Amino acid sequence: MVQEAQGSKAPVQRTVDKVALIFVPSVAGIALLTFLLWWIFGGHAALPHAVLSAVAVLVIACPCAMGLATPTALMVGIGKAAQNNILIKDATALESLRSVDAMVIDKTGTLTIANQNIDFTKADSLPLEVRETLKPHAREAMEDLQRHGVEVYMMSGDKEEAARFWAEQAGIAQYRSQVLPQDKEDLVRRLQQSGKRVAMVGDGINDTQALALADVSIAMGRGTDVAMDVAQVTLMSDDLRKIPSVIRLSRRTVRMIYENLFWAFIYNIVCIPLAAGVLYIFGVDFQITPMWASALMAFSSVSVVLNSLRLR
């Protein structure tokens, strides 16, 4: 799953691919124009220089830096998530996580787990507040999400009193009680219609409708197979702090992608004219030769990879 995710394309990569389709013929055109201008204005004596200038333009242009900008950052980001027991199914999920501003979360099995300290042969006579216990760090995770601008909605099939109790325990102000699977899906849809980017977190069959509809779906690794099959992200532990953690990782990864693209474009914008000899127009006797062009081209690709590795 991790290998497949690392090889998938994020939406931003498709935009870069379209730019590359224009970039490559444009560079070929600039190289041809460079050759003709040097030859026309310099005469036959400038023919060797015209050839070297055109070659320098072709060598220094680096579409590979733009091509590497997105996949290198994604590979590192998805790999880092896997090291932290978070399995991301595709690059689109990692990119989408950064813009999540609303989260719908199931209660039983997601926020809470069965209380191991009670006798379940007598559980029917015990209130729900005793039968279950909040997962470790659940409240910390929910408060972290809300502190960073993510609205959290707890959904529970329990009665009003029990749902209110666990919402208060988890630090969640907005909750629904006695809900059916359709109610979870309806809430996700309403939030989306109000302009929210919605993540759904669940662990069971009754969560799959909402998981399938959400912008980003997150399943618990100890949940049902069908929930994990629908979900784009799977948490392999019960530590809910992984959710704000993976959102932060998504934001850092996407920021890294844009940094890589920025430097790749700046490199080409600055270096291609210098290789063509544009400074001669301003009386400056300087031009990048093919030898230095090859070194700079290689360095631009290496710099993108090294920048992406900072995510580790």
Side-chain angles (χ1 to χ4, degrees):
M1 281 176 64
V2 173
Q3 288 177 341
E4 288 175 4
Q6 288 177 327
S8 62
K9 286 188 177 183
V12 68
Q13 179 63 41
R14 298 187 184 97
T15 304
V16 174
D17 290 344
K18 291 176 183 177
V19 172
L21 287 173
I22 301 168
F23 177 82
V24 174
S26 297
V27 168
I30 292 169
L32 178 60
L33 183 63
T34 299
F35 170 78
L36 292 173
L37 289 174
W38 276 106
W39 189 21
I40 291 168
F41 290 102
H44 288 294
L47 183 59
H49 191 85
V51 172
L52 285 174
S53 298
V55 169
V57 169
L58 289 172
V59 170
I60 205 166
C62 195
C64 48
M66 290 189 293
L68 288 168
T70 302
T72 52
L74 288 172
M75 284 182 71
V76 177
I78 291 170
K80 187 67 178 175
Q83 288 175 358
N84 288 301
N85 296 318
I86 304 166
L87 297 183
I88 298 175
K89 193 174 286 186
D90 55 45
T92 302
L94 184 62
E95 186 177 342
S96 299
L97 274 164
R98 74 185 175 108
S99 55
V100 164
D101 55 6
M103 183 170 290
V104 178
I105 187 165
D106 173 56
K107 180 187 75 69
T108 307
T110 304
L111 271 175
T112 64
I113 51 177
N115 190 341
Q116 302 297 320
N117 299 317
I118 66 170
D119 182 356
F120 274 88
T121 61
K122 303 174 182 176
D124 289 342
S125 61
L126 296 173
L128 281 171
E129 294 83 354
V130 178
R131 290 186 218 173
E132 298 175 89
T133 184
L134 203 63
K135 285 185 178 179
H137 310 297
R139 185 183 182 96
E140 182 183 341
M142 297 303 107
E143 289 176 346
D144 192 1
L145 285 167
Q146 293 172 94
R147 191 164 51 248
H148 287 87
V150 179
E151 297 177 4
V152 181
Y153 299 81
M154 189 194 82
M155 303 291 277
S156 173
D158 292 345
K159 293 180 180 179
E160 169 66 21
E161 312 86 71
R164 183 173 62 251
F165 174 82
W166 289 115
E168 289 172 353
Q169 291 295 304
I172 300 172
Q174 303 175 89
Y175 67 93
R176 304 283 189 280
S177 60
Q178 295 181 308
V179 298
L180 300 173
Q182 186 62 47
D183 298 321
K184 297 178 182 180
E185 180 185 347
D186 291 342
L187 176 59
V188 170
R189 183 176 285 105
R190 284 199 302 274
L191 289 170
Q192 288 173 330
Q193 289 171 348
S194 69
K196 299 288 185 182
R197 296 281 291 178
V198 185
M200 171 67 196
V201 188
D203 73 314
I205 293 173
N206 60 343
D207 300 317
T208 53
Q209 287 175 244
L211 286 168
L213 181 64
D215 297 295
V216 182
S217 47
I218 303 172
M220 308 305 295
R222 297 183 184 181
T224 62
D225 288 346
V226 68
M228 286 186 285
D229 187 55
V230 170
Q232 297 165 297
V233 179
T234 302
L235 306 184
M236 299 308 293
S237 73
D238 279 330
D239 189 350
L240 293 173
R241 291 177 300 178
K242 301 291 184 184
I243 298 174
S245 173
V246 75
I247 291 175
R248 284 193 291 269
L249 177 63
S250 168
R251 290 172 180 171
R252 286 197 299 270
T253 302
V254 174
R255 186 167 63 245
M256 186 67 69
I257 289 171
Y258 285 112
E259 279 181 20
N260 287 345
L261 289 172
F262 172 79
W263 289 114
F265 278 111
I266 288 295
Y267 161 83
N268 284 293
I269 289 168
V270 171
C271 289
I272 289 175
L274 292 178
V278 74
L279 290 182
Y280 281 102
I281 298 172
F282 304 101
V284 180
D285 185 13
F286 175 80
Q287 186 176 7
I288 297 174
T289 64
M291 180 183 72
W292 283 107
S294 62
L296 287 168
M297 186 275 293
F299 177 74
S300 70
S301 298
V302 172
S303 65
V304 165
V305 175
L306 292 176
N307 192 43
S308 297
L309 289 174
R310 291 194 301 117
L311 280 168
R312 294 176 66 85

Short mmCIF file of all heavy atoms in Angstrom, two decimals, residues 57 136 232 309:
data_model
loop_
_atom_site.label_atom_id
_atom_site.label_comp_id
_atom_site.label_asym_id
_atom_site.label_seq_id
_atom_site.Cartn_x
_atom_site.Cartn_y
_atom_site.Cartn_z
N VAL A 57 21.79 26.18 -23.49
CA VAL A 57 20.37 26.37 -23.15
C VAL A 57 19.68 25.02 -22.98
O VAL A 57 18.93 24.80 -22.02
CB VAL A 57 19.65 27.21 -24.24
CG1 VAL A 57 18.14 27.17 -24.02
CG2 VAL A 57 20.15 28.64 -24.21
N PRO A 136 -6.73 6.44 25.30
CA PRO A 136 -5.66 7.31 25.80
C PRO A 136 -5.38 8.45 24.82
O PRO A 136 -5.34 8.22 23.61
CB PRO A 136 -4.45 6.36 25.90
CG PRO A 136 -5.05 4.99 26.00
CD PRO A 136 -6.32 5.04 25.21
N GLN A 232 -9.16 6.20 3.00
CA GLN A 232 -7.92 6.61 2.32
C GLN A 232 -6.74 6.59 3.27
O GLN A 232 -5.60 6.51 2.85
CB GLN A 232 -8.09 8.02 1.75
CG GLN A 232 -9.17 8.13 0.68
CD GLN A 232 -9.53 9.59 0.44
OE1 GLN A 232 -10.02 10.28 1.31
NE2 GLN A 232 -9.26 10.06 -0.76
N LEU A 309 13.95 15.80 1.54
CA LEU A 309 14.39 14.94 2.64
C LEU A 309 14.33 15.65 3.99
O LEU A 309 14.38 14.99 5.04
CB LEU A 309 15.82 14.44 2.39
CG LEU A 309 15.96 13.40 1.27
CD1 LEU A 309 17.42 13.08 1.02
CD2 LEU A 309 15.20 12.12 1.61
#
